[in-house]
Amino acid sequence: MTTEKIDTSASMDIDEIISNPKFSVNVLQLLKSSQMQHGLRFSDYTRYRRYCSARLRRLYKSLKFTHGRGKYAKRSITASTVTEVRFLHLVLYTAERAWSHAMEKKQLPDGPNARQRSYLIGRLRKAVNWATLFSELCAIKGDSRTSLEAEAYASYMKGNLLFEQDQNLDVALKSFKSARVVYEELGKYGDLENQVLCRERVEELEPHIRYCSHKIGESNLQASELAHIGEIEGPALDLFKSKLEAVMAEARSQQAASMTEFHWLGHRFPISNAKTRVAILKAQDMEKELQDRMEGTLPAEKRLAVFDKIFAAYHEARASIRNDLATAGNSENIKDDLSGLDKAIGAVLGQRTIERNQLLVSIAKSKLNKSRDEKNEKVTKPEELVRLYDLLLQNTADLSDLLSSGRDRKEEEVALSEECEVKSKAFRAERCFFLAKSYSSAGKRTEAYSLFSLSRSLAETALKNLKSLANHDQVMIKELQTLYNDCRSNICIEHAMGIMEYEKAPEDLSKKISNVSISGSDKKPEKFLIEKLGSYESAVGDSSTKVAPRIAAYQPAFQPIPRNPIVLDLAYNSIDFPSIENRMKKDKKGFISRFWG
């Protein structure tokens, strides 16, 4: 080949590259940042949909790609239209807007009705169409990585549509698997942030794949085991979790058909209402999950969320029972059974409430001695633990009142009532300890010393009563022993601190007195408001400062004043005064006095 031909071919390649540039879009990173910053961190799809709409409006205006001012004239996006990367963003955010609108309908409080579900499917279908167009445009106008990410995004959207329709799950399974393969490969390259995002997306796709495999018979998973799949958090799992709830509800309905009685502390209460049975089974399933994973494998925040679901299920069961009581008529036996069942569920609710508040106490205690967590969480104050123990005391009192309200009390009820009394004593000792802590932090040594002593005696009494129970709680025994030792050490500390403060009191008082200034001059003397009434200057200060407003001095400062003149009479001794005897009154004498005068 001649030199002229080589130069010609090279120039043609350069012209082709310039005329057909390859755009690069980091799809997953772009979407994740947009979702986390605009609502999906808290599953707020309405906010994210509005953001997508605003973003599309800005893109249309900046690209001058509007659809007419008066009459709408559709302008389609083709490969020849894409002259810069923002056209690809336009297609991508249109797909995201349709998807978020569908998920918004999915999260309605009572679930979508038939009309809303039809609209939801239509929005998901539009999201698939726009995602497919995005994949086709990226295959022509994007680089190889962008094309792969766009293909995985389109496969994920197609799988979501089939997953929601509950049709062609084998095709949905293939779509999810193809997306997973792409993200697994992309996660091996690039920077660390990209690798983490790809790994998270693979973990989010795994529950969809396992669910589809279970539904088409390729997996031996049981319906009860599906609940452990969706523990990963993320926007991609919200659709899966709603589907999982429907599957679990169906499984509980089948299981509820064989449930005829509710067992509680030696009592057996018949259950005739299917809705009540399903609600009780739902609560019992979550209680088993909580009990199996209580040993630290489940974080405290997730355990609190499970407790909330248990409360919701039991409240639903009680509402159904009370509806049955209202429609029971005059049948005394049915009313007694329903009242007993309502009491039993109320007692279980009381026990779970105590367990949840104890979990809150353990979380608060873990943050009590920390100055500041890495996550900038608030540090627990002793007053907050006092409030939590007040709640626990109220919970145990309510449960004791409920257990003592029946006529035919069995041994199990009496034992539970005694356990509540012992727990109440232990909670009172703990409350007294943290109340003493709050007094100690305020510098009130006498009150803190007295409260620590009282807490120690209460802990000792509760420890003896707890050991006398047949089924004593080892964890609570260890906590009470630790509390007893802590009370003893804090008593010694408060005693020593009190003696030190008493010994240092005269010295501190003398220092304070020596620093007292009669003139009251500060380092930066400022005039008071009463001294500058003629000028418009603020005497209150800025709202951000904590300096007291300078209105007038109190007490008023000492001022020099003139005193009365001193008169010294120096001329008195040198003056000769005239005689005034002739002016003085003479005494008159009688006739006889003349002879002795």
Side-chain angles (χ1 to χ4, degrees), residues 306-475:
V306 174
F307 271 118
D308 292 339
K309 292 179 182 177
I310 291 172
F311 295 153
Y314 275 129
H315 282 304
E316 183 181 351
R318 293 191 80 180
S320 177
I321 291 168
R322 288 173 181 177
N323 288 335
D324 292 341
L325 269 171
T327 58
N330 297 324
S331 178
E332 295 295 332
N333 293 331
I334 295 175
K335 283 187 175 181
D336 289 342
D337 291 338
L338 289 173
S339 300
L341 181 60
D342 184 63
K343 174 187 173 182
I345 292 177
V348 174
L349 263 174
Q351 289 177 283
R352 299 298 167 263
T353 305
I354 292 173
E355 292 174 4
R356 180 184 179 274
N357 289 337
Q358 284 179 307
L359 178 60
L360 288 174
V361 165
S362 64
I363 295 171
K365 281 183 178 179
S366 66
K367 299 178 183 178
L368 182 64
N369 298 322
K370 294 182 180 180
S371 58
R372 176 75 52 183
D373 288 354
E374 295 180 358
K375 300 179 181 178
N376 289 330
E377 294 180 351
K378 290 180 67 177
V379 180
T380 304
K381 295 181 180 178
E383 292 82 358
E384 297 177 20
L385 281 160
V386 172
R387 182 183 60 81
L388 287 174
Y389 278 110
D390 281 334
L391 289 175
L392 281 168
L393 287 170
Q394 184 63 43
N395 297 147
T396 51
D398 293 342
L399 184 57
S400 298
D401 293 341
L402 185 63
L403 292 171
S404 60
S405 60
R407 290 190 295 257
D408 300 329
R409 299 176 66 195
K410 299 205 172 188
E411 295 180 359
E412 292 86 348
E413 290 183 76
V414 176
L416 183 59
S417 181
E418 292 176 355
E419 184 181 348
C420 286
E421 291 179 5
V422 174
K423 282 186 177 181
S424 179
K425 292 179 181 178
F427 295 152
R428 192 173 290 111
E430 293 270 8
R431 180 188 179 277
C432 189
F433 175 80
F434 288 106
L435 188 61
K437 279 278 189 184
S438 65
Y439 273 102
S440 176
S441 61
K444 298 182 178 180
R445 305 297 173 192
T446 307
E447 292 85 349
Y449 182 88
S450 303
L451 287 169
F452 279 128
S453 303
L454 178 59
S455 177
R456 183 185 176 191
S457 62
L458 290 172
E460 186 178 6
T461 305
L463 196 57
K464 290 179 182 178
N465 294 336
L466 189 60
K467 288 180 179 179
S468 65
L469 291 178
N471 298 324
H472 48 267
D473 190 357
Q474 294 294 335
V475 177

Side-chain angles (χ1 to χ4, degrees), residues 96-369:
E96 282 289 292
R97 180 177 63 176
W99 171 77
S100 59
H101 202 174
M103 295 303 297
E104 181 185 350
K105 296 295 181 185
K106 189 71 180 175
Q107 285 194 327
L108 290 173
D110 298 328
N113 53 30
R115 184 177 179 180
Q116 291 166 342
R117 179 168 172 74
S118 176
Y119 183 77
L120 184 153
I121 296 296
R123 297 303 294 172
L124 279 179
R125 192 174 286 113
K126 277 195 174 184
V128 172
N129 294 337
W130 283 103
T132 306
L133 176 61
F134 178 69
S135 176
E136 293 172 356
L137 293 175
C138 287
I140 301 171
K141 291 290 186 176
D143 56 10
S144 56
R145 181 184 178 85
T146 304
S147 178
L148 272 176
E149 282 202 68
E151 185 179 349
Y153 179 73
S155 298
Y156 168 69
M157 282 296 178
K158 183 178 179 182
N160 273 341
L161 174 62
L162 297 174
F163 188 83
E164 176 60 29
Q165 287 178 328
D166 212 0
Q167 296 174 359
N168 300 325
L169 289 180
D170 52 345
V171 182
L173 180 62
K174 291 178 182 178
S175 299
F176 287 134
K177 282 184 175 180
S178 63
R180 182 182 65 179
V181 169
V182 172
Y183 286 120
E184 284 176 350
E185 290 299 319
L186 291 174
K188 298 177 183 178
Y189 310 102
D191 56 357
L192 182 61
E193 183 181 1
N194 177 73
Q195 293 178 15
V196 171
L197 289 176
C198 290
R199 197 177 304 118
E200 287 179 356
R201 180 50 65 96
V202 170
E203 291 175 355
E204 290 172 356
L205 287 170
E206 191 63 31
H208 295 82
I209 293 171
R210 295 182 69 182
Y211 176 84
C212 293
S213 300
H214 167 72
K215 292 295 284 185
I216 64 178
E218 292 183 5
S219 174
N220 295 324
L221 275 176
Q222 299 296 324
S224 58
E225 298 175 5
L226 288 172
H228 300 293
I229 300 176
E231 291 178 355
I232 310 169
E233 298 294 333
L237 284 172
D238 289 338
L239 189 63
F240 169 76
K241 288 177 180 178
S242 62
K243 183 70 68 174
L244 183 61
E245 279 295 322
V247 173
M248 296 302 294
E250 182 180 352
R252 290 190 195 104
S253 299
Q254 294 175 358
Q255 189 180 356
S258 60
M259 181 182 182
T260 57
E261 293 179 338
F262 180 72
H263 301 272
W264 175 73
L265 298 181
H267 295 280
R268 295 188 176 188
F269 302 103
I271 308 173
S272 57
N273 194 332
K275 188 176 179 181
T276 307
R277 279 181 276 183
V278 170
I280 292 174
L281 274 174
K282 182 179 179 181
Q284 288 177 346
D285 288 344
M286 286 184 286
E287 284 177 346
K288 288 178 183 177
E289 178 187 354
L290 193 65
Q291 192 67 29
D292 293 340
R293 313 193 67 189
M294 187 66 79
E295 302 298 329
T297 57
L298 199 65
E301 291 77 10
K302 291 190 176 180
R303 274 187 275 167
L304 290 174
V306 174
F307 271 118
D308 292 339
K309 292 179 182 177
I310 291 172
F311 295 153
Y314 275 129
H315 282 304
E316 183 181 351
R318 293 191 80 180
S320 177
I321 291 168
R322 288 173 181 177
N323 288 335
D324 292 341
L325 269 171
T327 58
N330 297 324
S331 178
E332 295 295 332
N333 293 331
I334 295 175
K335 283 187 175 181
D336 289 342
D337 291 338
L338 289 173
S339 300
L341 181 60
D342 184 63
K343 174 187 173 182
I345 292 177
V348 174
L349 263 174
Q351 289 177 283
R352 299 298 167 263
T353 305
I354 292 173
E355 292 174 4
R356 180 184 179 274
N357 289 337
Q358 284 179 307
L359 178 60
L360 288 174
V361 165
S362 64
I363 295 171
K365 281 183 178 179
S366 66
K367 299 178 183 178
L368 182 64
N369 298 322

